[in-house]
Amino acid sequence: FFQYCLSGHPTLPCNVLKFKSTTIMLDCGLDMTSTLNFLPLPLVQSPRLSKLPGWVLKDGSMFLDKELKECSGHVFVDSVPEFCLPETELLDLSTVDVILISNYHCMMALPYITEYTGFTGTVYATEPTVQIGRLLMEELVNSIERVPKAQSASMWKNKEVQRLLPAPLKDAVEVSMWRKCYTMPEVNAALSKIQLVGYSQKIELFGAVQVTPLSSGYALGSSNWIIQSHYEKVSYVSGSSLLTTHPQPMDQASLKNSDVLILTGLTQIPTANPDGMVGEFCSNLAMTVRNGGNVLVPCYPSGVIYDLLECLYQYIDSAGLSNVPFYFISPVANSSLEFSQIFAEWLCHNKQTKVYLPEPPFPHAELIQTNKLKHYPSIHGDFSNDFKQPCVVFTGHPSLRFGDVVHFMELWGKSSLNTVIFTEPDFSYLDALAPYQPLAMKCVYCPIDTRLNFIQVSKLLKEVQPLHVVCPEQYTQPPPTQSHRTDLMIDCQPPAMSYRRAEVLTLPYKRRYEKIEIMPDLADSLVPLEIKPGISLATVSAVLYTKDNKHVLQLPPKPPQPPASKKRKRVSDDVPECKSLKPLLSGSIPMDQFVQTLEKHGFSDVKVEDTAKGHIVLLQEAETLIQLEEDSTHIICDNDEPLRVKLRDLVLKFLQKF
Amino acid sequence: GAGQDVGRSCILVSIAGKNVMLDCGMHMGYNDDRRFPDFSYITQNGRLTDFLDCVIISHFHLDHCGALPYFSEMVGYDGPIYMTHPTKAICPILLEDYRKITVDKKGETNFFTSQMIKDCMKKVVAVHLHQTVQVDEELEIKAYYAGHVLGAAMFQIKVGCESVVYTGDYNMTPDRHLGAAWLDKCRPDLLITESTYATTIRDSKRCRERDFLKKVHETVERGGKVLIPVFALGRAQELCILLETFWERMNLKAPIYFSTGLTEKANHYYKLFITWTNQKIRKTFVQRNMFEFKHIKAFDRAFADNPGPMVVFATPGMLHAGQSLQIFRKWAGNEKNMVIMPGYCVQGTVGHKILSGQRKLEMEGRQILEVKMQVEYMSFSAHADAKGIMQLIRQAEPRNVLLVHGEAKKMEFLKQKIEQEFHVSCFMPANGETTTILTNPCIPVDISLGLLKRETAIGAAPDAKRPRLMHGTLLMKDNSFRLVSPEQALKELGLAEHQLRFTCRVHIQDPRKEHETVLRVYNHLKGVLKDYSVQHLPDGSITVESILIQATAHSEDQGTKVLLVSWTYQDEELGSYLTSLLKKGLPQSTP
């Protein structure tokens, strides 16, 4: 039982579990924070970005000035943005049997794994996870591919060179592992390996292990996973939420009785209250628009945006924003809005009830109908005709490095009337803004992360009581910037085992039992014997069949009746074939009864002598001696097989067989 | 219900001490007490809730759920009722519709009320496809996709190793809006399957569709009116998609109407539950939603008298009441018109009468209606045909099959076919009859890993998959069964092992010195027992596995040596074999 940790990012995990005879990958997160080191990809040629000066080494050497540009004291790589992949060297990924996906944010590295490692297994995920995951990948590929960049910088990655660079480039980890974005054919190939599953569906893996997704309450179709055999249970908790937003609530009860609970994907902003943040978001938005400014909301095309639109739906009339246009710009905006309405079964109770009426579960259907919310695939085309200011724009990517958001940053950055409101918690907003500095526009940081915070975690752990907790090392100490906040870490007994990237953990439990089935005819043949009150036992001699990791016990086949010929009778001529299957014995032999029995069976000259530990029974005529002690019996006789067998059977009458 | 009959589906299954009721339908052919199942079969005295562990509804058709409010609110049942999400959404609407026709139009009293429908639906627990629902600690159920109508499901009911699969109504061929039913190889002890089309093997769907379109087209061309009686949800959407695409392609102008206010609502359900439709519709729904029709408009009662051709979908599907019957009466007298029955009609309904060739119908008030319009039957019911039923049996590999939801004669035929082809028992009980099926459940026990591993190690033969003999002790304590090694059993019970040992004296004629005799014995044994570990120990004794052999000179006769062969009870076979081997003497020594 091992856990291989392939990702160092606590909310974008990638672990491999060796459980019984299976190799299971848990999530396939892609660390995109690496893109913050790159210059943004502008949709429209940006004079500002193209005029940035090349970076020059302290000693004046200029060989990197084509690859690295400087902006307001920060150095950026001028190249197609690259992502930090999960570790691929720690174990042979072609041996992975299955990949379990917990939510659509944690599957972004899937094409790298399924298409480049010789992976031949199956991926399991819920239908919303796959559909929305596909949209996220489509948007990602689209926003990078539509801005072809001639340059692909690699010189700076040389270890000797990287050492000379300023932070954070100098400290960037595993730069040699950074990869360019995958393509749509790779996405399609990866997604075709996914098998759809539903909550509480039990999926058998090779007869040895059962995996089950459970609702995790964080996003549409998001799941935690139970990985169990008959005797061991590992719970994988990744990206869970106890807040009531749109998804089905988290299933906590099924996590009980876990031997090991792997805990990842906690909130990235443990100090912020999501409800408060939503309030701040609305008031900042309203204030900016009232002052004639535009609002830019960098976001993913699915997830929190549904909740934001629902809040705005209730808010805009009372805030007098009815005439302000809301634009949602993404190549997958339409699909995302449509898909959100068809996953009734994956929604919270209130939304499900609406579908029964039948009404669309999300109010953004009405915002679209009344023309308050408009969606466009990109800033080109229809949007440029309809575009009216002041307005509110929702668009990606939250890293501000690619997607339509780059255009709006360039367009609105110079005016202090405008505001950019950060709601997605995945990227540091200051780092995201760095290549746009100096900026006049207002920046508001309202990160909304509905995932579990540490108070909720400790409540959860008290509730489900796992024997052991395993988590990323980041969760076992306070955040580096708030080292005094010891409440911002996992506190449990025994202390959580922590892991970091490229580490292998041995999970602390040992199997002792396995399930086996006894066939009915064998069961019929068993003779139970009550040994102690309430405890019975039966000796079982049977044939063990093992197929597909399932064990079955059957009646041993009857030995073929030896033909009555003389030759076959001398069974002892044949060397005994298999090791005998004689039971163990227990009990003791009562002296007097034993002697009586002997006499009954025709031994008339029984003589008994006492010894230090028991007795010796002498059968004088037969020249045979039986030593009886508390826990042993020794029959010493001449080579007279019938006599020996007879005595054996008399002794066995007094003993219990095991 | 549904025993050698179509309608009033209601089956009671008792499995390993659990009682599950499958479906709770009404019968379209009756208007008296016989329209609902007779729940006194379940229990004569006592509450249904105490007797039933759960109720499962397979889909929203009234012959499968029509009696539910009567059952739960009027007879009285408070336990869980399971159905899929779309069924839960649509079921109450059809029930309300049914109630309205019965109470408001026919003026019946003593029928369930709207409030009862609402209270009944509160007892419903919605299930996902493939979700394992733990009804209680032992009883679990799981839904599979059945095709038939939106949200239709087959259910597996499982207690321990015993299981039953109930198909409800299903369709094995994907159509224009739904996918095909699917079961995994779940090997149930019993498969309860519908058998509506037990003897039919339908020609290809394409032919049927072409035929249908041709007939509609011809009638419209000659200015006739086409009436298609349907149920609001199900086939209606399938035929709407069919006509819509045809009208679009042929650029036809004749109006198509869809009666009742349910239509738009119904289509909305299809839109919101699009994940339950077929692959193609799901894939394209963002670009074009198949359930938003351009050519099909809502019907108004006044339109029926409009001149000129038209096509009208009207409910209900068997012409037994409501708008479809009204329109039928208006149009029946004109031979230019046509009625197309796209589905099965229960005995006693107008639909069944005209399909069996009756042309003079007695209507309410002794009025005789002469049917001159053309009557066509086209099987668009999404039921599996004989081929489909056989295919499902092949998929699931049940040990027994039980036929319901069909006609006795046809069942008989299918029963024979199933018994012939699959060599499993097939039953077809009538209503009120009980079929008992013996199962042979295996008994799961816990085996200690040590024992299992040990057995595996002993069986370290090249093929580990080969069956091997094993010996263990089954400990039974408070209903827990554990198979452990005998040693562990002794240890756990705090008992000591009793060692039983045998020592046999074997006399051998050998004048040589003792150690030479021992050497000869050793060489002899080594030669015979090639697969055993035979060792010559420094103290002069020999071991064969755990068996000890020592030699001493006979006290009186130096030419005779006494071999003491000593073994434990557990090694009896080998020990006994060795003594008889040695008794035969040693082979002549080779120089």
Side-chain angles (χ1 to χ4, degrees):
Chain A
F1 297 98
F2 296 105
Q3 182 186 333
Y4 296 76
C5 312
L6 311 186
S7 162
H9 197 300
T11 35
L12 297 167
C14 183
N15 292 302
V16 174
L17 198 65
K18 292 226 179 197
F19 186 79
K20 287 190 81 173
S21 47
T22 55
T23 306
I24 302 171
M25 179 178 278
L26 304 169
D27 277 331
C28 220
L30 183 63
D31 188 348
M32 293 201 241
T33 50
S34 55
T35 58
L36 293 175
N37 295 298
F38 292 80
L39 273 188
L41 288 180
L43 281 174
V44 182
Q45 243 252 316
S46 155
R48 183 187 70 87
L49 286 172
S50 48
K51 274 187 211 141
L52 288 177
W55 184 74
V56 184
L57 275 171
K58 278 201 190 88
D59 62 6
S61 45
M62 301 257 296
F63 66 99
L64 279 169
D65 69 339
K66 287 272 178 304
E67 291 199 351
L68 302 179
K69 304 281 177 193
E70 199 170 340
C71 175
S72 307
H74 291 265
V75 176
F76 297 95
V77 182
D78 186 11
S79 173
V80 187
E82 294 177 341
F83 309 118
C84 181
L85 267 55
E87 206 67 39
T88 50
E89 306 292 310
L90 197 57
L91 82 161
D92 179 1
L93 292 178
S94 68
T95 62
V96 170
D97 298 310
V98 295
I99 303 179
L100 309 180
I101 304 293
S102 57
N103 63 66
Y104 46 75
H105 286 299
C106 292
M107 63 186 278
M108 298 300 278
L110 201 58
Y112 294 118
I113 304 293
T114 61
E115 305 312 300
Y116 290 99
T117 62
F119 173 80
T120 54
T122 311
V123 185
Y124 291 99
T126 63
E127 183 165 7
T129 301
V130 177
Q131 299 296 5
I132 296 172
R134 177 194 294 277
L135 298 184
L136 293 184
M137 290 180 176
E138 249 180 69
E139 188 194 58
L140 185 68
V141 173
N142 184 293
S143 39
I144 288 179
E145 281 184 355
R146 78 184 148 142
V147 191
K149 189 129 186 157
Q151 168 146 297
S152 172
S154 59
M155 227 173 348
W156 70 276
K157 287 184 181 180
N158 183 313
K159 275 209 170 75
E160 292 308 306
V161 178
Q162 196 196 355
R163 217 163 34 87
L164 306 171
L165 304 181
L169 276 177
K170 184 174 68 176
D171 309 317
V173 288
E174 314 256 10
V175 289
S176 59
M177 301 270 296
W178 291 11
R179 289 288 174 274
K180 283 193 203 105
C181 189
Y182 34 73
T183 63
M184 256 347 260
E186 284 162 355
V187 169
N188 290 328
L191 296 181
S192 71
K193 297 181 172 79
I194 299 183
Q195 198 165 321
L196 299 183
V197 294
Y199 289 150
S200 305
Q201 177 176 349
K202 295 176 177 170
I203 303 136
E204 290 278 339
L205 304 182
F206 316 110
V209 178
Q210 198 180 58
V211 295
T212 309
L214 304 172
S215 175
S216 78
Y218 165 59
L220 268 175
S222 71
S223 10
N224 292 322
W225 289 85
I226 303 282
I227 301 120
Q228 63 187 341
S229 69
H230 287 291
Y231 296 97
E232 303 79 22
K233 177 168 172 180
V234 176
S235 293
Y236 175 59
V237 175
S238 167
S240 296
S241 176
L242 291 170
L243 293 179
T244 317
T245 57
H246 57 273
Q248 211 180 95
M250 177 182 179
D251 177 354
Q252 294 183 66
S254 306
L255 299 173
K256 282 184 183 167
N257 301 321
S258 302
D259 296 290
V260 173
L261 188 140
I262 303 170
L263 187 61
T264 66
L266 304 183
T267 176
Q268 300 186 75
I269 323 287
T271 48
N273 167 1
D275 284 333
M277 287 295 137
V278 171
E280 242 176 80
F281 168 79
C282 287
S283 58
N284 275 295
L285 183 143
M287 197 152 57
T288 305
V289 176
R290 266 189 225 118
N291 293 337
N294 301 294
V295 177
L296 178 63
V297 187
C299 62
Y300 293 114
S302 178
V304 175
I305 183 168
Y306 302 145
D307 298 317
L308 291 179
L309 289 174
E310 187 156 1
C311 287
L312 290 172
Y313 168 79
Q314 293 156 356
Y315 182 74
I316 43 183
D317 286 329
S318 63
L321 301 173
S322 332
N323 297 319
V324 178
F326 286 78
Y327 301 117
F328 176 18
I329 302 168
S330 159
V332 298
N334 185 28
S335 296
S336 166
L337 294 171
E338 289 285 341
F339 268 114
S340 67
Q341 306 287 19
I342 66 157
F343 291 125
E345 288 152 79
W346 308 88
L347 294 172
C348 64
H349 184 257
N350 276 344
K351 297 222 176 306
Q352 256 177 29
T353 319
K354 285 187 96 179
V355 176
Y356 290 163
L357 290 179
E359 276 172 23
F362 285 98
H364 54 238
E366 200 185 317
L367 287 176
I368 296 168
Q369 236 169 31
T370 53
N371 260 332
K372 284 178 181 153
L373 174 67
K374 294 181 179 183
H375 54 82
Y376 303 89
S378 88
I379 52 165
H380 301 301
D382 290 345
F383 175 71
S384 37
N385 303 327
D386 299 353
F387 184 43
K388 282 190 192 71
Q389 302 191 70
C391 64
V392 180
V393 169
F394 293 88
T395 188
H397 185 272
S399 66
L400 304 190
R401 291 303 178 271
F402 41 86
D404 298 276
V405 73
V406 175
H407 175 75
F408 288 100
M409 284 304 296
E410 293 290 336
L411 186 69
W412 291 341
K414 293 165 223 99
S415 163
S416 59
L417 280 177
N418 303 326
T419 308
V420 53
I421 310 183
F422 291 89
T423 56
E424 302 286 357
D426 286 357
F427 300 93
S428 140
Y429 80 106
L430 290 174
D431 290 345
L433 287 171
Y436 298 97
Q437 300 291 2
L439 271 176
M441 109 195 271
K442 275 200 293 289
C443 303
V444 178
Y445 185 52
C446 308
I448 298 166
D449 195 332
T450 57
R451 286 171 281 206
L452 297 177
N453 62 35
F454 290 100
I455 299 166
Q456 292 163 330
V457 164
S458 80
K459 240 178 93 187
L460 175 77
L461 292 180
K462 268 196 199 103
E463 182 83 20
V464 305
Q465 300 221 320
L467 290 182
H468 301 277
V469 175
V470 174
C471 66
E473 61 173 349
Q474 289 91 333
Y475 297 159
T476 57
Q477 60 218 27
T481 50
Q482 292 157 295
S483 53
H484 61 289
R485 292 289 298 266
T486 49
D487 56 327
L488 300 183
M489 58 185 271
I490 290 178
D491 179 25
C492 64
Q493 273 314 321
M497 299 177 63
S498 69
Y499 64 82
R500 63 172 77 182
R501 190 178 166 109
E503 216 170 52
V504 182
L505 274 190
T506 309
L507 296 185
Y509 54 83
K510 211 176 160 232
R511 296 195 298 135
R512 289 184 45 223
Y513 283 96
E514 181 70 77
K515 213 52 158 190
I516 195 164
E517 283 185 350
I518 295 185
M519 294 305 280
D521 47 351
L522 174 63
D524 283 343
S525 76
L526 298 180
V527 188
L529 185 73
E530 187 157 23
I531 289 286
K532 287 180 178 175
I535 303 177
S536 304
L537 61 82
T539 58
V540 181
S541 284
V543 183
L544 173 70
Y545 288 90
T546 300
K547 197 184 163 195
D548 299 338
N549 287 316
K550 294 226 187 289
H551 310 291
V552 176
L553 279 182
Q554 291 188 355
L555 266 184
K558 290 209 176 73
Q561 282 296 320
S565 76
K566 265 252 154 81
K567 205 180 167 203
R568 291 295 295 172
K569 243 189 165 176
R570 289 158 63 200
V571 176
S572 56
D573 272 8
D574 303 324
V575 178
E577 237 182 53
C578 54
K579 280 205 89 169
S580 65
L581 290 166
K582 285 283 179 342
L584 294 185
L585 303 169
S586 179
S588 59
I589 295 175
M591 188 56 225
D592 296 339
Q593 283 173 37
F594 181 60
V595 171
Q596 277 168 25
T597 312
L598 283 175
E599 282 167 352
K600 217 167 38 189
H601 283 82
F603 297 97
S604 52
D605 55 347
V606 181
K607 203 177 139 196
V608 180
E609 286 173 15
D610 288 355
T611 63
K613 284 180 177 166
H615 316 274
I616 291 179
V617 178
L618 278 167
L619 307 175
Q620 289 165 326
E621 197 189 326
E623 287 190 47
T624 295
L625 163 153
I626 306 168
Q627 289 177 350
L628 291 178
E629 285 177 15
E630 178 71 27
D631 286 329
S632 70
T633 302
H634 193 171
I635 298 174
I636 304 162
C637 61
D638 266 341
N639 188 9
D640 179 351
E641 188 68 7
L643 173 69
R644 185 187 70 79
V645 170
K646 191 170 176 185
L647 290 173
R648 176 197 72 191
D649 290 344
L650 292 179
V651 168
L652 287 180
K653 273 190 185 167
F654 293 95
L655 298 173
Q656 289 152 351
K657 292 179 183 174
F658 279 78
Chain B
Q4 303 179 2
D5 186 16
V6 175
R8 206 172 45 172
S9 280
C10 188
I11 299 147
L12 188 67
V13 171
S14 295
I15 172 174
K18 304 283 171 187
N19 298 310
V20 178
M21 192 169 97
L22 305 170
D23 280 338
C24 190
M26 53 82 89
H27 203 296
M28 311 262 183
Y30 300 118
N31 279 320
D32 50 21
D33 279 353
R34 289 173 297 171
R35 71 179 153 209
F36 290 150
D38 184 354
F39 296 109
S40 65
Y41 277 114
I42 302 177
T43 172
Q44 295 281 354
N45 33 28
R47 295 170 57 230
L48 290 175
T49 315
D50 299 334
F51 191 78
L52 290 174
D53 291 284
C54 73
V55 173
I56 294 171
I57 302 295
S58 64
H59 63 285
F60 60 64
H61 277 157
L62 289 175
D63 59 328
H64 292 261
C65 70
L68 199 57
Y70 169 76
F71 162 78
S72 75
E73 306 310 307
M74 297 174 78
V75 182
Y77 169 76
D78 299 319
I81 301 169
Y82 293 98
M83 51 178 86
T84 65
H85 283 269
T87 308
K88 186 182 174 185
I90 296 166
C91 183
I93 291 166
L94 296 185
L95 286 171
E96 180 60 29
D97 211 43
Y98 173 39
R99 190 199 65 79
K100 265 193 203 146
I101 290 177
T102 317
V103 177
D104 299 353
K105 294 228 170 110
K106 294 191 190 161
E108 278 191 51
T109 50
N110 194 24
F111 203 71
F112 54 76
T113 62
S114 296
Q115 189 55 45
M116 285 177 180
I117 298 175
K118 279 184 193 135
D119 292 342
C120 167
M121 293 314 289
K122 279 185 197 140
K123 297 170 185 170
V124 171
V125 182
V127 301
H128 290 255
L129 276 185
H130 301 159
Q131 172 191 9
T132 301
V133 180
Q134 213 73 41
V135 177
D136 59 34
E137 251 169 54
E138 287 116 30
L139 173 63
E140 56 181 53
I141 61 171
K142 180 177 174 183
Y144 290 92
Y145 191 78
H148 186 60
V149 288
L150 192 75
M154 307 190 268
F155 279 88
Q156 180 191 45
I157 301 114
K158 199 172 169 194
V159 185
C161 312
E162 294 172 272
S163 66
V164 173
V165 170
Y166 172 58
T167 64
D169 292 354
Y170 62 101
N171 187 10
M172 292 299 285
T173 42
D175 58 26
R176 279 170 192 269
H177 79 292
L178 294 171
W182 179 84
L183 267 184
D184 53 10
K185 197 177 291 223
C186 52
R187 296 200 177 96
D189 291 299
L190 175 65
L191 175 78
I192 303 175
T193 174
E194 66 133 326
S195 50
T196 323
Y197 290 118
T199 54
T200 324
I201 290 184
R202 278 177 292 176
D203 42 4
S204 87
K205 221 185 66 195
R206 207 169 257 279
C207 293
R208 256 178 297 144
E209 287 179 358
R210 208 184 305 131
D211 221 24
F212 170 79
L213 292 171
K214 199 173 137 214
K215 279 182 180 142
V216 172
H217 192 195
E218 280 169 7
T219 310
V220 172
E221 287 284 279
R222 65 167 180 260
K225 298 179 167 64
V226 182
L227 170 65
I228 308 171
V230 288
F231 288 97
L233 290 130
R235 285 310 86 194
Q237 279 68 29
E238 176 78 5
L239 295 175
C240 283
I241 293 176
L242 189 61
L243 277 191
E244 167 92 5
T245 30
F246 186 68
W247 250 239
E248 181 94 34
R249 200 175 69 219
M250 304 295 286
N251 201 15
L252 296 180
K253 294 284 177 273
I256 307 174
Y257 297 113
F258 200 119
S259 80
T260 82
L262 261 179
T263 334
E264 218 166 318
K265 223 173 178 183
N267 290 338
H268 216 110
Y269 279 117
Y270 276 85
K271 227 186 126 175
L272 292 173
F273 285 110
I274 213 138
T275 52
W276 284 78
T277 60
N278 70 25
Q279 202 82 37
K280 196 181 149 211
I281 294 189
R282 278 155 59 181
K283 258 202 174 136
T284 54
F285 93 100
V286 176
Q287 291 80 41
R288 176 161 186 244
N289 197 309
M290 287 295 263
F291 298 104
E292 279 163 9
F293 300 115
K294 265 199 282 179
H295 298 274
I296 302 171
K297 294 174 192 85
F299 182 72
D300 187 289
R301 199 178 292 193
F303 294 172
D305 297 322
N306 284 0
M310 67 176 83
V311 180
V312 175
F313 289 94
T315 59
M318 299 186 191
L319 283 181
H320 56 282
Q323 201 154 31
S324 63
L325 189 58
Q326 279 174 23
I327 299 171
F328 174 72
R329 289 165 80 160
K330 272 195 180 149
W331 294 357
N334 190 338
E335 61 277 356
K336 265 208 292 191
N337 296 342
M338 180 184 279
V339 58
I340 300 180
M341 306 298 298
Y344 183 86
C345 289
V346 164
Q347 219 159 24
T349 58
V350 173
H352 188 268
K353 285 176 193 158
I354 58 169
L355 280 184
S356 47
Q358 228 175 303
R359 286 296 173 266
K360 288 207 163 74
L361 302 171
E362 191 179 325
M363 307 307 283
E364 283 158 43
R366 309 220 156 232
Q367 211 182 324
I368 300 289
L369 180 68
E370 202 172 336
V371 183
K372 287 187 186 152
M373 77 197 296
Q374 298 176 54
V375 177
E376 294 287 346
Y377 172 69
M378 267 187 192
S379 161
F380 277 100
S381 292
H383 291 280
D385 62 1
K387 217 167 91 194
I389 296 171
M390 299 301 269
Q391 195 187 333
L392 188 83
I393 296 174
R394 204 166 298 124
Q395 264 180 24
E397 291 189 6
R399 294 189 186 91
N400 299 278
V401 177
L402 190 145
L403 304 179
V404 294
H405 201 284
E407 290 158 31
K409 255 194 205 152
K410 297 180 179 174
M411 279 185 178
E412 196 67 59
F413 176 82
L414 184 66
K415 174 179 144 81
Q416 275 178 16
K417 216 172 133 188
I418 291 170
E419 286 177 332
Q420 254 169 35
E421 188 166 339
F422 299 108
H423 308 289
V424 298
S425 310
C426 184
F427 307 88
M428 39 172 286
N431 284 337
E433 221 175 282
T434 303
T435 304
T436 308
I437 288 155
L438 283 178
T439 57
N440 217 355
C442 43
I443 297 152
V445 302
D446 300 347
I447 183 170
S448 91
L449 207 61
L451 179 62
L452 187 69
K453 285 262 167 76
R454 186 172 76 175
E455 295 303 330
T456 318
I458 292 170
D463 184 9
K465 287 219 166 97
R466 217 189 63 189
R468 354 174 246 280
L469 263 178
M470 64 154 290
H471 178 79
T473 302
L474 187 63
L475 282 174
M476 290 163 269
K477 189 180 157 191
D478 321 323
N479 257 345
S480 88
F481 289 70
R482 283 185 306 131
L483 189 62
V484 298
S485 65
E487 292 87 349
Q488 192 182 342
L490 282 174
K491 208 171 127 197
E492 283 190 24
L493 292 167
L495 298 175
E497 188 192 340
H498 188 104
Q499 209 183 55
L500 176 57
R501 228 184 148 75
F502 304 98
T503 301
C504 274
R505 294 182 288 263
V506 181
H507 301 260
I508 288 183
Q509 297 303 318
D510 187 12
R512 274 166 266 227
K513 288 207 170 108
E514 274 164 39
H515 70 266
E516 286 175 29
T517 311
V518 170
L519 204 62
R520 284 186 65 200
V521 170
Y522 171 70
N523 287 332
H524 176 46
L525 293 181
K526 205 150 169 84
V528 177
L529 301 170
K530 292 208 166 61
D531 293 337
Y532 288 78
S533 137
V534 182
Q535 285 180 307
H536 191 182
L537 300 183
D539 67 356
S541 52
I542 301 171
T543 58
V544 180
E545 302 288 331
S546 68
I547 291 157
L548 187 70
I549 302 171
Q550 284 170 314
T552 55
H554 197 278
S555 51
E556 291 150 27
D557 177 6
Q558 287 296 321
T560 306
K561 300 285 179 300
V562 179
L563 295 176
L564 288 172
V565 185
S566 181
W567 69 92
T568 63
Y569 173 60
Q570 282 73 26
D571 285 317
E572 191 175 26
E573 251 115 65
L574 186 58
S576 153
Y577 167 77
L578 277 179
T579 53
S580 59
L581 178 72
L582 291 171
K583 202 173 166 186
K584 277 184 263 171
L586 298 174
Q588 285 310 304
S589 64
T590 44

